[in-house]
Every structure is written in structure tokens, then in C-alpha cells.
Amino acid sequence: MAADPTIIVFALFPGVTQLDFTGPHQVLSRLPGARVFLASRTGEPIEAHGIVFSGLRRLADIERCDIVCVPGGFGATDNAIGDAEFLRELRRLADGARYVTSVCTGSLVLGAAGLLRGKRAACHWAWRELLTAFGAIPDPSRVVRDGNIVTGGGVTAGIDFALSLVAELAGAETAQAIQLGIEYAPAPPFNAGSPEIAPPEILARATARYAAGAAQRRAAVEAAAARMTAAGF
């Protein structure tokens, strides 16, 4: 008798960063027995950096899942954390999921849904400290697990997060076989992938780029945190 499939749902929203979910999707779709769905609040197509993703499910139409994953992007704070229905459906799926996960600023969305209070979580380095507004504990690690909450850091950490999850679900050999299959052997041309190792002038340049929207993003997080507290989450 065949085992039940592992249902994996990526909860998408306008303004999502595509690599936040296409990276882990590539890995998790190769997990034996997995069924991977892209879903949004409305089920309508989502545009991400010029790529349009269609054929999405409505979150409300998904009865349950084993893994729910929320990617990040500027839409996390521009749209998702202020969307009451999106957060409600996320909480519903998370309540019955074996793993509740995120990549990059998707952890801010988990926080806004009231799922990270007292939990350690990863996030993109530029916005990591915003997690404290939701009662979460920022962790600079690339992949962070706290109970059934598994979070990945910025963007490309989604691949690492997904391989770690596959190893837990199906064993290290399966994870390594998937890693080999996608030839994931990072050898970046520059040593500038984190604020700790980037040249100071590059860090300053990147920080300045994010500064323009920092106040707006912080205000959105504070407003979402206030709503979460008022709702008793």
C-alpha cells in the first residue's frame, strides 16, 4: 500500500521574491512522495520580478498540508502582513502542519501570523531585528530550527533550508542525491555573501539601498505586531 504523499504548500503573495520559493521548490519537488503546490489568497497569478506564476491554488481550498512555507520579498511587508485573510489561512494550515517554515523575510509573515512568539528564527540580514516586534528571537544562522518551526536566512538560504528538511524527512543520502542532481556546489565569484564577510564599502552600499524603504517597512511591522497582540496571538 502506497504511503500518503507529503503535501507541501508555498504561500505566495504579490511582491514575493521568486528565488525564495523556486530554490526550495526545486529541492522539495524531488522529495520522494512529495506533492508541491503554489498557493495564494485569491488563486490568481502572482508576478515576481517579471516572472508570472499561474495555476495557483487558493489557500482556502487547501484542506491541510505537511509543510507550509512562506517566502519573503518586499511584498512580505507591503502586502502579506497586512492581509488578514492571508494570515488567517496561514495560521489554519500551520496548525495542522508537521513543519511551519519560511525563507528570507517570510519569517516576518510567520511572526505577523502569531507563529513565532518565543521562537528563534532566521531572516534576511537587513531586516532580522524586525523579528523582535513579533516576540521572536533573531538568529543569524543560515538555517534555524526551533521545534517544528524551520526558517532560512536570505534568499539563497532557501536551498540550504530545503536540503536540511529533506534530510530529516528522507535521510541524508536522499538529500545528498538531490544536491548532486541539481549540482548545488556553491563557489561564488566574490566573498561578499553576508554582512560579516562583505567588504565594508559593499556593505555600506547595500545598506544604503535598503535604507530608503526601511522606515516604511518598520512601520508596517509595528502595525502588524500591534494587530497580532490585539488579536491575542
Side-chain angles (χ1 to χ4, degrees), residues 162-183:
L163 287 169
S164 299
L165 203 53
V166 168
E168 181 156 337
L169 289 165
E173 289 188 357
T174 298
Q176 290 176 81
I178 292 173
Q179 180 181 2
L180 179 58
I182 64 174
E183 201 170 346

Side-chain angles (χ1 to χ4, degrees), residues 1-2 12 35 64-65 75 77 90 141 161-162 168 180 201 225-226:
M1 184 174 181
L12 308 184
R35 295 184 64 194
R64 57 163 294 277
C65 64
T77 48
L90 176 59
S141 302
F161 138 75
E168 181 156 337
L180 179 58
E201 65 274 15

Side-chain angles (χ1 to χ4, degrees), residues 6-10 24-25 28-31 34-38:
T6 299
I7 305 299
I8 303 168
V9 175
F10 286 90
H25 183 287
L28 293 172
S29 64
R30 297 186 179 208
L31 174 70
R35 295 184 64 194
V36 186
F37 299 110
L38 303 182

Side-chain angles (χ1 to χ4, degrees), residues 46 52 86 88 105 113 118 122 125 160 169 172 195 209 214 231:
I46 292 286
V52 177
F86 182 91
R88 183 170 62 250
T105 51
W125 63 267
D160 296 23
L169 289 165
R209 176 189 171 198

Side-chain angles (χ1 to χ4, degrees), residues 6 19 32 34 46 53 60 62 65 84 96 109 114 143 149 198 225 230 233:
T6 299
L19 189 55
I46 292 286
F53 295 86
I62 298 176
C65 64
V109 184
V143 180
I149 306 289
F233 293 111

Side-chain angles (χ1 to χ4, degrees), residues 114-126:
L115 300 171
L116 292 185
R117 190 174 294 280
K119 299 287 188 177
R120 292 183 300 108
C123 190
H124 188 285
W125 63 267

